[in-house]
């Protein structure tokens, strides 16, 4: 009898350790199918997004090729070069003043010179806008111009925040203004 119970136990253990049932296999296959469908859908969305980006890029290249001889394009490029070099010079001056005053209890250098820097930046922006207003911009250049106009508005706010922080000897406000100024780079 012990032998028969022992054999019966071995048969039960072996039967329970056998291959998965058809239901388990079907369930596993359905889960894999759903996972693959989700992956395919994600990849399809990525492909569509990349296709749109590629079409936009091809359009911009086409416009650039057709406008290479366009005087407006060359004038815009020259205007942006002047604008950029002037803006970079003023921002470097601002950075030097902030560096000079860092670690001190007040912002004497920055307070003495920030109005001049803000005025120079405003003049640079004004000159850019005046020169660009007389140009006929294609779609690509118009998008770039609109992006710069958004940056101009944000830049004015950031400079005023730095000025206010310096006037109040508030390092935190100056740092927030600097961070705001740094975040404008996405528009350039």
């Amino acid at each position: 009898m012990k032998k028969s119970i022992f054999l019966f136990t071995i048969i039960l253990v072996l039967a329970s350790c056998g291959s998965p049932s058809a239901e388990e296999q079907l369930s596993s296959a359905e889960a894999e199918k759903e996972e693959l469908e989700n992956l395919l859908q994600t990849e399809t969305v990525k492909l569509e997004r990349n296709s749109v980006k590629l079409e936009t890029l091809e359009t911009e290249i086409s416009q650039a090729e057709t406008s290479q001889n366009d005087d407006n394009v060359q004038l815009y490029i020259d205007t942006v070069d002047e604008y950029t070099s002037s803006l970079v010079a003023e921002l470097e001056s601002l950075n030097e003043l902030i560096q000079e005053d860092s670690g001190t209890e007040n912002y004497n250098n920055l307070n003495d010179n920030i109005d001049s820097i803000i005025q120079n930046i405003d003049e640079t922006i004004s000159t850019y806008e005046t020169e660009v207003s007389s140009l006929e911009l294609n779609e690509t250049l118009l998008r770039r111009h609109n992006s710069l106009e958004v940056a101009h508005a944000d830049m004015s706010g950031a400079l005023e925040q730095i000025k206010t922080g310096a006037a109040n000897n508030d390092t935190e406000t100056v740092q927030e203004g600097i961070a705001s100024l740094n975040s404008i780079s996405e528009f350039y």
Side-chain angles (χ1 to χ4, degrees):
M1 173 115 168
K2 285 184 176 182
K3 283 187 176 184
S4 62
I5 292 177
F6 179 71
L7 284 174
F8 181 69
T9 306
I10 291 178
I11 293 173
L12 280 176
V13 169
L14 289 177
S16 66
C17 293
S19 62
S21 69
E23 289 178 2
E24 290 172 343
Q25 288 178 340
L26 180 62
S27 175
S28 175
E30 286 176 354
E32 285 182 41
K33 177 185 172 192
E34 186 176 326
E35 185 177 321
L36 289 174
E37 286 174 347
N38 289 337
L39 180 63
L40 178 62
Q41 185 177 16
T42 302
E43 293 302 317
T44 302
V45 169
K46 286 180 183 178
L47 178 62
E48 289 173 4
R49 189 177 310 134
N50 287 336
S51 295
V52 169
K53 286 181 182 178
L54 181 60
E55 288 175 15
T56 302
L57 184 59
E58 287 174 349
T59 301
E60 288 178 1
I61 289 171
S62 174
Q63 287 176 350
E65 288 174 348
T66 58
S67 63
Q68 276 180 332
N69 297 326
D70 187 356
D71 290 337
N72 284 317
V73 172
Q74 190 56 48
L75 288 172
Y76 183 77
I77 291 171
D78 293 342
T79 300
V80 169
D81 284 345
E82 290 174 27
Y83 159 82
T84 304
S85 62
S86 177
L87 199 60
V88 166
E90 294 303 323
L91 292 175
E92 285 176 350
S93 295
L94 178 66
N95 185 46
E96 288 173 15
L97 293 171
I98 292 171
Q99 293 298 322
E100 288 173 10
D101 286 340
S102 69
T104 63
E105 293 181 16
N106 53 39
Y107 289 94
N108 289 335
N109 291 326
L110 188 56
N111 280 321
D112 293 342
N113 296 296
I114 193 158
D115 286 329
S116 172
I117 290 173
I118 290 174
Q119 182 180 355
N120 291 342
I121 288 175
D122 288 344
E123 287 174 8
T124 298
I125 291 170
S126 179
T127 301
Y128 164 81
E129 289 175 351
T130 301
E131 290 181 15
V132 169
S133 68
S134 65
L135 298 176
E136 199 172 308
L137 302 178
N138 64 28
E139 188 178 322
T140 303
L141 296 180
L142 188 59
R143 276 197 309 270
R144 171 63 52 202
H145 173 69
N146 291 338
S147 181
L148 290 177
E149 286 189 332
V150 170
H152 294 158
D154 290 352
M155 185 178 299
S156 295
L159 290 171
E160 284 301 318
Q161 189 173 19
I162 292 171
K163 180 180 175 179
T164 300
N168 296 326
N169 291 321
D170 182 359
T171 302
E172 185 176 327
T173 302
V174 171
Q175 293 300 323
E176 288 172 2
I178 293 168
S180 296
L181 200 56
N182 288 336
S183 71
I184 296 170
S185 65
E186 70 185 76
F187 298 108
Y188 287 95

